[in-house]
Amino acid sequence: MNKLSRIYQLLLDHADSDIAVKEVTIGLVWTVCKTGQLGLAMSPGMPTRTLSWPGSLAGKTLGELAEWITDWEPYKATVGMAAINCSLNRFELPSGITLLAATDRGNLAVFEHFLPQLKDKKVVVVGRYPGIERYAEQINLSILERQPLYNDYPDPACEFLLPDADWVFLTASSITNKTFPRLAELAQNATTVLMGPTVPWLPQWHEFGINYLAGLEIVDPVKLYQTAAEGGGVRIFENGARYRIVELTPDNSMTWLKNRISHDYAEKQQLTLAMEQWYAGGKNGRFPDFNQLHQVTTRLSHLDISYKCLWDIHHREPS
């Protein structure tokens, strides 16, 4: 597995959970996975009536559904992405800026936040966001879209546009459809913003050349779930959700990693103590939470490696 496609293994590290799923709703725009948390992913653009698994998802674990992220069937991959986000949303969000909701702005709030930095820059947006064409006269804007409209460029144009871009706004749906590894590779020379409600709050994004995250902050899960289930698109930003912007500077990323390492270390200590008490009590058989202990140990290892690599780069002596 190359470095960029490794993103899927890191996501599964954080989502390999035994927590039971209460509901999965596949809405017109958003697919939602629900436990005690919510996780969203953009629904596939093509309708279907031939799914084989409706009626069987509630009661499965987050880990079971998360594994679907590697599937090539778009609906399965979307459910997998929603399950991953549901699992990641149990953690505290990283420090950042919350964008206030405004009627009819939706995703455009992200572009307006960055607009002062985009003047005289080559800007490529992967994915067409409703209303984004309004910025075409203000910035040098190119839009890549799987189903091109207006003056959009088709997918293959990424090979020509991204290497020369100054800024790239990359839809997180690219993770679901498996185009993320190549798109991130092509955008290595640009300032890259990974954006959308599908963004997973993973503390290792700095490893993949991502400079900013523009992801979902849930402020009213009940209203958000209702809006998504009723076919809401950008309406979710007026009903329970806000955008949060996180700049992935070395200091910010290391702080995020330290917080997650601290959380997982405490969980590992609790599980290790419980296992020792289990066997000290004369119990036979495998420790019931062994899988959970293995999961958190694996996650800790990857977090430690990421932190050390970032620390080494940030504190390297100038030559």
Side-chain angles (χ1 to χ4, degrees), residues 218-231:
I218 298 173
V219 294
D220 186 339
V222 174
K223 196 65 177 176
L224 175 59
Y225 188 86
Q226 177 188 356
T227 305
E230 292 177 357

Side-chain angles (χ1 to χ4, degrees), residues 12 15-19 21 60-68 83:
L12 289 173
D16 194 6
S17 168
D18 293 332
I19 296 173
V21 171
K60 289 185 179 293
T61 68
L62 283 175
E64 288 176 308
L65 294 187
E67 289 179 356
W68 286 8

Side-chain angles (χ1 to χ4, degrees), residues 196-215:
T198 306
V199 165
W201 292 110
L202 181 78
Q204 288 123 312
W205 281 117
H206 62 92
E207 296 183 26
F208 304 92
I210 303 301
N211 303 102
Y212 292 90
L213 297 176

Side-chain angles (χ1 to χ4, degrees), residues 11-311:
L11 289 171
L12 289 173
D13 280 352
H14 291 268
D16 194 6
S17 168
D18 293 332
I19 296 173
V21 171
K22 294 180 180 178
E23 296 178 59
V24 175
T25 296
I26 300 177
L28 288 174
V29 183
W30 306 112
T31 292
V32 188
C33 181
K34 184 177 182 181
T35 57
Q37 310 290 334
L38 296 183
L40 271 68
M42 178 167 271
S43 298
M46 68 293 285
T48 181
R49 295 193 296 177
T50 59
L51 298 176
S52 62
W53 32 264
S56 68
L57 301 189
K60 289 185 179 293
T61 68
L62 283 175
E64 288 176 308
L65 294 187
E67 289 179 356
W68 286 8
I69 187 59
T70 60
D71 203 285
W72 288 98
E73 198 285 312
Y75 277 91
K76 289 188 74 172
T78 298
V79 169
M81 190 74 251
I84 288 169
N85 281 335
C86 187
S87 185
L88 283 166
N89 285 345
R90 74 187 188 275
F91 298 105
E92 183 179 352
L93 295 182
S95 177
I97 299 170
T98 299
L99 303 184
L100 297 179
T103 304
D104 298 329
R105 284 177 65 190
N107 299 291
L108 301 184
V110 174
F111 296 103
E112 294 191 8
H113 172 80
F114 287 105
L115 197 58
Q117 301 177 64
L118 305 181
K119 299 297 177 67
D120 302 318
K121 304 295 184 183
K122 293 181 181 178
V123 180
V124 179
V125 178
V126 181
R128 166 166 281 280
Y129 295 92
I132 194 174
E133 60 277 356
R134 73 177 64 178
Y135 302 114
E137 295 182 0
Q138 301 178 56
I139 58 177
N140 183 353
L141 177 65
S142 300
I143 300 171
L144 287 163
E145 176 56 49
R146 296 205 131 182
Q147 299 174 335
L149 298 172
Y150 310 111
N151 295 317
D152 297 348
Y153 290 89
D155 280 356
C158 67
E159 301 287 338
F160 302 89
L161 295 176
L162 293 185
D164 293 329
D166 297 308
W167 281 74
V168 171
F169 290 82
L170 178 55
T171 173
S173 296
S174 63
I175 304 166
T176 312
N177 66 31
K178 316 301 188 296
T179 58
F180 173 81
R182 180 57 178 163
L183 294 172
E185 181 180 27
L186 290 169
Q188 288 296 299
N189 295 327
T191 299
T192 303
V193 182
L194 185 67
M195 67 174 290
T198 306
V199 165
W201 292 110
L202 181 78
Q204 288 123 312
W205 281 117
H206 62 92
E207 296 183 26
F208 304 92
I210 303 301
N211 303 102
Y212 292 90
L213 297 176
L216 203 65
E217 178 178 339
I218 298 173
V219 294
D220 186 339
V222 174
K223 196 65 177 176
L224 175 59
Y225 188 86
Q226 177 188 356
T227 305
E230 292 177 357
V234 296
R235 290 274 296 172
I236 64 171
F237 297 107
E238 301 168 41
N239 292 279
R242 304 286 186 270
Y243 260 116
R244 175 174 286 211
I245 307 292
V246 176
E247 184 177 5
L248 299 179
T249 63
D251 283 339
N252 286 350
S253 290
M254 285 193 290
T255 297
W256 192 4
L257 284 163
K258 281 195 293 187
N259 289 340
R260 292 291 277 274
I261 288 169
S262 177
H263 177 281
D264 283 354
Y265 181 76
E267 182 180 348
K268 180 184 177 184
Q269 292 295 92
Q270 289 179 335
L271 288 167
T272 300
L273 178 60
M275 183 172 67
E276 291 171 353
Q277 292 173 342
W278 166 270
Y279 289 116
K283 302 263 180 75
N284 294 321
R286 194 181 201 186
F287 173 55
D289 292 326
F290 176 82
N291 287 340
Q292 187 179 350
L293 177 59
H294 175 72
Q295 291 157 13
V296 73
T297 301
T298 300
R299 193 162 64 240
L300 262 176
S301 174
H302 290 155
L303 288 168
D304 284 338
I305 291 170
S306 185
Y307 182 87
K308 183 180 184 305
C309 289
L310 191 57
W311 194 94

